[in-house]
Amino acid sequence: LPQAWRVPFSYLDRQFANIDDYLTDIKTLALSGDFTNGAALTEFENKFAETFGLPHAVGVASGTHALEIPLRLLGVGPGDEVITAANTFIATVSAIAMTGAKPVFVDNEDGYVIDPAGIEAAITPRTRAIMPVHYTGNLADMSAIMEIAQAHNLKVVEDGAQALGGQIDGQPVGSWGDAAGFSLHPLKNLNVWGEAGVVLTRSAELAHNVRLFRNYGLLLRDEAVLFGTNSRFDTLQAVIGNRLIKEVEFITSRRISHAERYDRAFSDLEGSISVPIRRAGVKHVFHLYIIRVDRRDELLAHLHGHGVEAKVHYPIPLHLQNASAHLGYKKGDFPVAERDVEQVITLPAHQHLTDEEVGYSIDQVRAFYGR
Ligand SMILES: Cc1ncc(COP(=O)(O)O)c(C=O)c1O
């Protein structure tokens, strides 16, 4: 039997207080039969673009496809190299590898995002693109990254899967690079009831090409202008998305406020806990509230023993995954990422936690350190 957590990591069972409204929308869709690239999807794409401040949003079948497809359409393929962070979720690197390009890793800095200083050194004549990951909901240093990209004529696709709604100096994720890919997986800040992803971009041309590519390359019913795939965003999921997207403001602000509360509560534990770094001008949306701690595994066991569903994101850096063996990396290549995997712990910080639950989680962490 699953453990009954006092402070759960997942919020899905709390999300649908008004589930009948969603089911009514699904029934309406079912009766219309408008399942394939339906009107609800267009509505969702328009709302998504407007909500997140870019002119074009194109739905695809997953967050992984939302990264892979723009890379391909920007010309990345076999023989090319794409630079990304060693401390990301596997899918970032899968997306690069699926284009046929070689992933090239760079270490992260203390804010869990790629260290721009390492990017320059990783560039070779084969480098075609950079895929910065706005990991945890913190944003990579896009000014520095775009400067490097422009100097070396590289494409940039931002992995925004964990950073929907994030900004730097008011400029949203996706407005910095050529495009950004987002995931609407059930545990993302904005989710649907299954799989879906979105590409955001300033470029009308790229948006047009993603629309073609996700639909076999068809321009008209019977005319293909390129060979694409079937990576359509399920219209049924768009029906769910159309309701949930209205809650984004609440979701983001609640997560930020939980994060600030945690920060304050740990401020006297500096020797044992490092709270997330905040760079000036960055709106960090806290998909994950990750801290670095002393005696991580003991703290994790203590929290689990007291009903707090803390997690580790993630225990193995990408350069040390078996899937990366052919790339020739070894332990010691990326000291910050390798330190982090030993020290990081993620505390529940989702929008449906009550103040009491966050308080309880804080009390349990403090008690572990004798406070
Ligand atoms: C950083 C990052 N990139 C990419 C993805 C892939 O998204 P999806 O699971 O929707 O394919 C995820 C989440 O799963 C992620 O966290």
Side-chain angles (χ1 to χ4, degrees):
L1 276 179
Q3 182 167 350
W5 297 100
R6 259 187 89 164
V7 187
F9 191 82
S10 168
Y11 46 81
L12 291 174
D13 59 342
R14 301 182 184 189
Q15 186 167 45
F16 300 112
N18 54 344
I19 193 162
D20 287 342
D21 295 342
Y22 292 82
L23 297 177
T24 303
D25 290 351
I26 288 177
K27 191 169 173 189
T28 306
L29 176 74
L31 293 172
S32 77
D34 189 19
F35 298 130
T36 307
N37 286 337
L41 174 59
T42 308
E43 183 187 338
F44 181 73
E45 290 175 328
N46 291 340
K47 276 190 201 163
F48 195 97
E50 189 190 322
T51 306
F52 300 108
L54 270 291
H56 308 284
V58 186
V60 293
S62 70
T64 308
H65 280 187
L67 300 172
E68 179 193 334
I69 294 173
L71 276 181
R72 281 177 178 272
L73 294 170
L74 290 164
V76 173
D80 295 332
E81 295 177 358
V82 178
I83 294 172
T84 194
N87 71 323
T88 183
F89 178 59
I90 317 265
T92 312
V93 184
S94 295
I96 294 169
M98 290 303 105
T99 68
K102 176 181 164 191
V104 172
F105 299 119
V106 166
D107 211 353
N108 56 292
E109 33 98 314
D110 283 345
Y112 308 112
V113 287
I114 194 167
D115 185 350
I119 295 178
E120 194 96 38
I123 293 174
T124 76
R126 288 177 300 283
T127 308
R128 258 320 256 281
I130 307 172
M131 182 166 279
V133 184
H134 302 307
Y135 186 59
T136 72
N138 190 17
L139 268 68
D141 183 348
M142 291 310 296
S143 313
I145 292 168
M146 292 315 296
E147 208 170 295
I148 296 168
Q150 272 145 22
H152 296 270
N153 198 20
L154 304 175
K155 303 294 184 189
V156 176
V157 177
E158 304 169 55
D159 182 341
Q162 301 192 0
L164 195 57
Q167 301 178 343
I168 307 171
D169 298 331
Q171 290 194 50
V173 173
S175 68
W176 295 87
D178 295 281
F182 298 89
S183 166
L184 304 183
H185 173 273
L187 283 182
K188 291 295 188 282
N189 286 20
L190 172 61
N191 69 280
V192 295
W193 288 4
E195 307 298 333
V198 177
V199 177
L200 269 186
T201 179
R202 283 177 281 114
S203 162
E205 185 191 352
L206 182 60
H208 175 71
N209 288 333
V210 175
R211 278 181 207 288
L212 293 175
F213 193 91
R214 73 169 178 193
N215 197 38
Y216 328 107
L218 286 177
L219 182 61
L220 302 170
R221 184 181 178 279
D222 297 307
E223 268 177 54
V225 289
L226 49 86
F227 287 115
T229 188
N230 178 350
S231 180
R232 292 188 294 255
F233 187 123
D234 191 333
T235 305
L236 193 148
Q237 300 301 347
V239 164
I240 306 302
N242 279 330
R243 279 198 177 269
L244 279 171
I245 199 167
K246 296 179 193 151
E247 293 179 26
V248 157
E249 196 54 48
F250 158 76
I251 294 168
T252 309
S253 60
R254 193 77 182 138
R255 284 173 177 269
I256 291 173
S257 112
H258 288 330
E260 285 171 352
R261 175 137 178 243
Y262 276 130
D263 281 2
R264 284 195 301 277
F266 302 145
S267 61
D268 62 336
L269 284 165
E270 251 172 51
S272 310
I273 297 180
S274 304
V275 299
I277 282 180
R278 320 302 186 89
R279 275 201 339 275
V282 173
K283 182 175 180 189
H284 184 326
V285 297
F286 290 100
H287 173 62
L288 300 173
Y289 183 83
I290 296 188
I291 52 179
R292 282 193 293 116
V293 300
D294 262 359
R295 298 190 285 140
R296 192 269 314 275
D297 292 344
E298 285 171 63
L299 174 62
L300 188 66
H302 170 85
L303 292 175
H304 286 182
H306 291 81
V308 178
E309 195 182 8
K311 294 199 182 262
V312 172
H313 294 92
Y314 298 97
I316 306 173
L318 265 296
H319 66 294
L320 301 179
Q321 292 286 345
N322 287 335
S324 296
H326 65 293
L327 299 172
Y329 293 100
K330 59 184 187 314
K331 208 167 162 101
D333 283 344
F334 301 115
V336 182
E338 290 172 28
R339 174 203 66 185
D340 286 356
V341 298
E342 308 280 335
Q343 298 184 354
V344 290
I345 186 165
T346 311
L347 302 179
H350 62 76
Q351 63 273 18
H352 294 288
L353 289 179
T354 63
D355 292 344
E356 292 69 37
E357 287 170 321
V358 176
Y360 177 80
S361 166
I362 288 169
D363 290 346
Q364 291 307 323
V365 173
R366 291 184 60 81
F368 176 77
Y369 292 108
R371 300 300 185 100

